[in-house]
Amino acid sequence: MVMDKFTDQFTLRQNTTASDEHLKLLISQRELQVADHRMLTDPDPHLWKKIIQPSSLDLRLGKTAWIMEGSVRAKKNEKIEQLVSNYRVTGLPEINLENGAHFVQGKTYIVSLQETANIPHFAHLRSNPKSSTGRLDAQARLLTDGNPHYESVAGPYSGRMYLEIVPNSFDLILRNGEALNQVRYSVGNPIMADDEIYAVSMGLATMNRSFIYSKEGNIGKPKIDSGIVLTADLTGEHTNSNIIAYRAKKDCQQPIDFQAVGKHPLHKYFEVIEKSKHNKELKLEPGYFYLLSTNEAVCLPPAYAAELSQFDHRAGNVTWHYAGFFDPGWGYFPGEEKQGNTITLEVRVHNKAEIIRHEQPIGVMKIERLSSIPLFPYGQGRSSNYSRQIGVRYGKHFYE
């Protein structure tokens, strides 16, 4: 922690991403502003843990949304309100989310967010969909005034934040206050270079630990190439299941109510793909959404967070992941012999079919330094939907 001697304000350590402890401080000095600010002073941490994750802040939907003609980003000095005025579908009223609103598959929406930002010149924000949003094949991309880029906000910035939402496979019922995405607050470059990842990996090895484990729990040696390389699992071994993937059904007519966790029958929304008896490969067809799994189990000690790249040109013309943030403590189980969680991949192939084979690389996981060890790492002292995840896992909204 660094305190500015002139302003008596907290400043994040250079080249780190804010932990939950430091996100609380940043919110208290209004660099990130939340609607229910009093939760920070409540002695019950359960309140702030609802929106402050180990290394990110949930952004919650506001009351108003608009249907747009298509995706559009702001130019310099242009406000999102101007985009809405110029590019919304004419003749349609604003959408009120207070009692729930129907977001239609294939349509593009812009939604105001409850949280606002007031970050200094040396800070920046990065956004990603939350895991459960990605597993619904819903794009949820951050927009801000005067910013031509999705998902990234460079300081100085003071203003409102918005979300572009595109449901790709299913209609969604969304309400004011629900969180589809999250932001990380960083100063400098928190992403570790390969030589630093290698040095940390060597240090972990001396303690009989690693960033990477096999699915059966054995320590693995990470392959490091612009991050840690992850591969596809098409055998399902050590998962107690023959299922290696799920594929979203076409033209599904039943919406998914975002607040109805565990209330949607899986078979109405997804087809099951089981492992082949003859080969270890899978043909991905354009126009379909798939859930797959990494072959590696990932373990993040509490001092580190990670982000899985959405697209890697070296791994085909495929989007491998929407929800790329992984919290410190993911797959980390203190005092237990078995470590690591596999990562569920949210996959769309572009333009033409791609045949992927078992253990082929699908992308790289970037490791980033945290400003401090979180007060509550992933799965420790807070609820989690995807802890102890081995093999492909469908989202929290479904049941079998």
Side-chain angles (χ1 to χ4, degrees), residues 49-65:
K49 284 193 296 182
K50 288 182 178 180
I51 66 165
I52 302 176
Q53 306 306 326
S55 59
S56 63
L57 171 70
D58 288 354
L59 299 183
R60 294 164 295 175
L61 301 180
K63 298 178 181 179
T64 309

Side-chain angles (χ1 to χ4, degrees), residues 148-312:
H149 303 293
Y150 287 117
E151 304 285 61
S152 178
V153 186
Y157 178 78
S158 181
R160 300 179 64 182
M161 295 188 285
Y162 301 81
L163 203 60
E164 180 192 275
I165 299 175
V166 182
N168 289 312
S169 290
F170 315 114
D171 289 7
L172 301 177
I173 306 297
L174 301 176
R175 294 171 182 80
N176 174 43
E178 292 174 335
L180 275 69
N181 75 318
Q182 54 198 336
V183 290
R184 282 182 175 167
Y185 178 111
S186 302
V187 170
N189 180 14
I191 306 299
M192 293 164 54
D194 283 356
D195 56 354
E196 187 178 356
I197 296 174
Y198 180 78
V200 172
S201 297
M202 294 296 288
L204 290 172
T206 65
M207 298 181 287
N208 204 32
R209 287 192 172 274
S210 176
F211 284 122
I212 295 296
Y213 287 77
S214 67
K215 288 176 294 183
E216 59 267 44
N218 298 324
I219 290 179
K221 182 179 180 181
K223 181 180 178 182
I224 301 172
D225 182 6
S226 300
I228 295 177
V229 176
L230 299 178
T231 66
D233 174 23
L234 295 177
T235 68
E237 292 178 359
H238 308 291
T239 65
N240 300 317
S241 174
N242 289 323
I243 298 172
I244 59 167
Y246 297 97
R247 187 171 78 172
K249 291 186 173 181
K250 286 280 193 180
D251 302 318
C252 183
Q253 299 300 312
Q254 300 191 44
I256 293 171
D257 188 334
F258 201 79
Q259 75 172 10
V261 174
K263 301 296 185 181
H264 304 84
L266 183 69
H267 72 273
K268 292 187 177 181
Y269 300 89
F270 283 92
E271 301 168 339
V272 168
I273 299 176
E274 296 189 343
K275 62 184 177 183
S276 170
K277 296 179 181 179
H278 308 293
N279 52 45
K280 300 177 182 179
E281 62 186 39
L282 179 64
K283 185 178 182 180
L284 302 177
E285 299 282 0
Y288 283 94
F289 173 72
Y290 298 82
L291 295 174
L292 300 170
S293 175
T294 60
N295 194 48
E296 298 79 15
V298 171
C299 175
L300 293 176
Y304 305 98
E307 181 176 2
L308 180 58
S309 301
Q310 187 177 96
F311 180 84
D312 185 340

